[in-house]
Amino acid sequence: MYEAPHSTYAVSFDENNQEFSLAGSMRPQHVEELGACLQVLRSSLNVVRGTFYLNVKRLVRLNNIAFHALSSLLLKACEERPELKVSVITSSVVGWSTRKFAVLEEASANIAVEEYDSAFYPGQAFLEGGGFIPILRTQTKMTWRHEKDILPRHGMREGLSIADICCGAGDFAVLLHKQFAPARLVALDHSKSSLDYARQVAADFGVSGIEYVFGDAAEMLLDDNQFDFVTCRHSLQIFNRPERILKELYRICKPGGRIYVTNEKISHCLGEPHKESISWTYEQLARLFDHFGMDLEFGPKSRRYLMDAGLDDIRTDHFMVSSDDGDPRDFADVVKSWKVLFAGDMASRRGDDAQFIERFARGFDDHVFAALHPKGYAGWPIWVASGRKPK
Amino acid sequence: MAAMQQGEASLSDFKSLVEIDLNSGVFGSNWAHCDQISTYVARMVSHNRSDSLLYANLLSSALNELLETVFRMHRRDGSFLCAVKRRGPVDRVEITVSCQAEHLAFYRGVMNVLEGPDVAKRYRETLVAAAAPGPQVGLLELAVDYAAKLSVDEIGDGFLRLTADLALEEQTI
C-alpha cells in the first residue's frame, strides 16, 4: 500500500484491492502540482488486472484542472487496454461527485460510476422503517428522564459545540437543544428518512439551530477537532465494527472534549412476574442480533472500547428505564413494538421455526404484563460511558 | 409596468450574508485564495440549510469555479468584491472586479454560449477533451451541473459584475 500525504489531499493505492483512493481537497492552479499523484495513478493502472477501483468517497473538493488530469489518464488507460474496467466509487454525501464523474461513463463504456452510500448498512433496515420511528421517540422520552441528570456528570453544560452522531429521529438533539442551549449542534445520521422526520419534528416544535446532516458515521466529512461534546447513543451496539465509528468520533472531538456513548445489555432486561420467561426471551434477543452482526450486549464493554480508542478520564453510569418511570403504558408500547419487529420480522428472516417464535414472543408479552400489572415491575438497563480526548 | 416594478422589487430583496472586499492585487497574489474564500463563505452561510454539510460542499464547489475563472481573467489592479446574498432557497453570488474590454468580451462570449444549444454536451466534451479546458469551463459547469442562472454586467467605468443565482437547496433534498 502506498500513501502520499499532502497538505490538502491524500493519495493511496491498495494493491490487494486494486483500489486507488483520493481524499481531501484537490484544487491546483497548474496540472504540474499533481505530478506525484498522477505518477501513482499511472503506476497503479499499470499493475492492475480486471477492475480498477477509483475511490473518491472522501474527495470533498476537486477543480476542473484536477478532474481533467485524472480523467485523461483513466480514459487513456481504457483506450489502450480494452479489457480494463474502471469502477469509480462516489458518495452522495459529497454532493457534486456522482454527476461529475458520470461524464466518464459517457466517454468510455469501460468506466462505471457507483454511489456507495445508496446501500449504507442494509442490515439495519429492520430498525429504520417508518413504523419504528414512533417507538424510537418513546424510547428517547423514557431514557431522557435519566440522561438529563446524568449528562452534566459527563461534562455536558450550556454553550458547547455538540455533535450527535447517529441521531436517528432527532429527539435527543431537540432535547439537548432545549435543556443545554448549545452554541452549535450538528445531528448526523445515515438514514435520509430519519433525518426528514427529525427536521419535521424540529420544525413542529419551533426549534431552529440544529444542523441535520446526512453521512456515514464511519467515514464522516466533518472536520477534525471541532466539537466539545460528541454523543453517539445506542449505535455502537448495532455496527459490526464499532472501533471505526469511535475513531471518527475521536477525530471530530476537540482535544479536551468528551465523547459520550450509551448502549444496552439487552439480556439484563427483567420483569416480575414471569421473570424466567422474560429473561429467556431477552437472552435469545441478544443472540438474534448477534446473528445479524449487532451486539446488544455492548453496554459493559463501553469502558474498554473508549480506552482502546485513546480516551482518558473514563466515566461510567448505568440506569434502569422502568415501568415506574412516568406512564407504564409507554414502556409497554415499546416492548410491544419490539415483539412485532424482533419476534416477527427478524426471527423469520433468521429462519426460526414457529415453536421458537411462539416462545420468543411470549417473553415480550410477559414483559408487557409485568409493566402494566399494578404489583409488577419491568426494566430495561442502559449503560453510559464517556471519555476525554487527551489535549 | 406595475408587474415589472413588482418584479424588480422582488429581485432587490436578497438579504446580504457575507462580503469579501479585497484589493484585486491581493486576491490575485495567491491561487489558494479561491479555495480559502469559497470554503469559508460556504461554511458561514450553510449552517441553516436543510443539510449544512452537503450544502456547503456544493456551494464551495460552485463558488470556487467562479473565483478560479475570475482569478484567471482579472486585472491585477483595482478592487475585488465577492458578495453572497440570499432570498429563500436561492443564494446569489456577485463578484465585482476591475476589468478591461477583453475581459468583458470573454464573459459576454460565454453568456452567448450558455444561451445557445447543446450547452451540456459542450461542457462534457470540454471535460474529456485531449486539451486542457479553458477558463470558460467553470461557468459552463455552473450552468449545467448546478443549474446556475448566470449574468454579466458592466458596472460604471472599468468594472464588471458577474452574478450567479444558485438554488442548491433543491439539490440537497
Side-chain angles (χ1 to χ4, degrees), chain B residues 63-152:
Chain B
L63 180 55
N64 183 65
E65 291 305 327
L66 271 182
L67 292 169
E68 288 192 4
T69 306
V70 171
F71 188 98
R72 290 180 189 283
M73 301 305 297
H74 80 112
R75 284 171 57 162
R76 300 276 165 178
D77 58 343
S79 63
F80 165 92
L81 178 70
C82 173
V84 179
K85 302 173 179 181
R86 174 166 297 171
R87 188 184 64 200
V90 178
D91 281 352
R92 169 170 288 181
V93 180
E94 289 177 351
I95 300 178
T96 308
V97 283
S98 315
C99 73
Q100 290 175 324
E102 68 201 69
H103 302 132
L104 201 53
F106 162 77
Y107 288 109
R108 286 189 169 148
V110 178
M111 297 306 143
N112 285 337
V113 170
L114 295 180
E115 286 168 12
D118 299 329
V119 179
K121 184 166 178 267
R122 192 164 175 162
Y123 161 61
R124 288 174 188 132
E125 285 173 356
T126 305
L127 277 182
V128 295
Q136 80 285 0
V137 68
L139 300 180
L140 296 181
E141 179 175 11
L142 280 166
V144 174
D145 273 357
Y146 297 88
K149 291 187 173 59
L150 295 163
S151 62
V152 63

Side-chain angles (χ1 to χ4, degrees), chain A residues 8 25 27-30 33 60-65 67-68 71-72 75 92-96 99-100 103-104 106-107 184 186 188 192 195-196 199 210-215 220-223, chain B residues 30-31 34-36 38-39 43 46-54 57-58 60-62 64-65 68 71-72 123-133 137-138 141 145-146 168 171 173:
Chain A
T8 62
S25 174
R27 288 177 171 173
Q29 183 176 8
H30 306 289
E33 295 164 39
V60 183
R61 295 187 276 278
L62 178 75
N63 70 4
N64 283 305
I65 296 162
F67 180 83
H68 185 265
S71 60
S72 295
L75 290 168
S92 70
V93 178
V94 174
W96 52 265
R99 64 177 175 238
K100 183 92 180 181
V103 171
L104 298 178
E106 290 180 21
R184 185 184 181 207
V186 172
L188 180 143
K192 285 188 174 172
L195 285 173
D196 287 343
R199 290 187 185 103
I210 301 174
E211 297 177 49
Y212 292 102
V213 169
F214 175 62
M220 291 187 280
L221 297 182
L222 296 168
D223 287 344
Chain B
N30 189 342
W31 176 259
C34 302
D35 177 53
Q36 289 163 357
S38 59
T39 303
R43 282 186 184 159
S46 299
H47 64 93
N48 50 1
R49 288 306 200 187
S50 58
D51 188 319
S52 58
L53 190 61
L54 180 55
N57 285 340
L58 288 167
S60 171
S61 293
N64 183 65
E65 291 305 327
E68 288 192 4
F71 188 98
R72 290 180 189 283
Y123 161 61
R124 288 174 188 132
E125 285 173 356
T126 305
L127 277 182
V128 295
V137 68
E141 179 175 11
D145 273 357
Y146 297 88
L168 301 175
Q171 298 178 30
I173 297 169

Side-chain angles (χ1 to χ4, degrees), chain A residues 134-250:
Chain A
I135 295 308
L136 292 175
R137 297 194 65 195
T138 306
Q139 288 184 187
T140 304
K141 187 170 89 177
M142 295 193 305
T143 55
W144 180 252
R145 290 194 183 98
H146 301 266
E147 285 187 270
K148 67 179 167 49
D149 298 325
I150 287 172
L151 278 159
R153 294 206 292 273
H154 291 260
M156 177 63 81
R157 61 185 187 279
E158 288 191 357
L160 298 183
S161 182
I162 301 172
D164 183 26
I165 306 305
C166 308
C167 68
D171 286 86
F172 184 71
V174 168
L175 293 164
L176 275 183
H177 193 268
K178 285 182 176 174
Q179 182 89 12
F180 295 103
R184 185 184 181 207
L185 177 51
V186 172
L188 180 143
D189 201 83
H190 64 261
S191 165
K192 285 188 174 172
S193 59
S194 295
L195 285 173
D196 287 343
Y197 196 94
R199 290 187 185 103
Q200 192 58 50
V201 167
D204 288 348
F205 289 96
V207 173
S208 60
I210 301 174
E211 297 177 49
Y212 292 102
V213 169
F214 175 62
D216 178 0
E219 288 198 274
M220 291 187 280
L221 297 182
L222 296 168
D223 287 344
D224 299 356
N225 305 319
Q226 56 169 316
F227 296 102
D228 302 300
F229 203 87
V230 179
T231 63
C232 184
R233 301 170 57 262
H234 297 265
S235 298
L236 296 179
Q237 60 186 23
I238 56 169
F239 288 94
N240 56 358
R241 293 179 62 189
E243 66 281 358
R244 281 186 59 190
I245 310 268
L246 275 165
K247 191 178 173 187
E248 281 291 273
L249 303 181
Y250 186 95

Side-chain angles (χ1 to χ4, degrees), chain A residues 327-374:
Chain A
D327 188 341
R329 285 174 298 185
D330 282 345
F331 195 102
D333 286 345
V334 167
V335 176
K336 282 178 194 170
S337 75
W338 289 351
K339 176 190 166 188
V340 171
L341 189 67
F342 306 140
D345 195 18
M346 266 180 103
S348 299
R349 286 206 213 181
R350 187 172 61 170
D352 293 334
D353 60 37
Q355 192 180 0
F356 173 87
I357 290 175
E358 187 192 349
R359 187 179 175 194
F360 189 38
R362 196 183 316 134
F364 291 115
D365 289 336
D366 288 337
H367 209 197
V368 170
F369 182 82
L372 296 177
H373 195 287

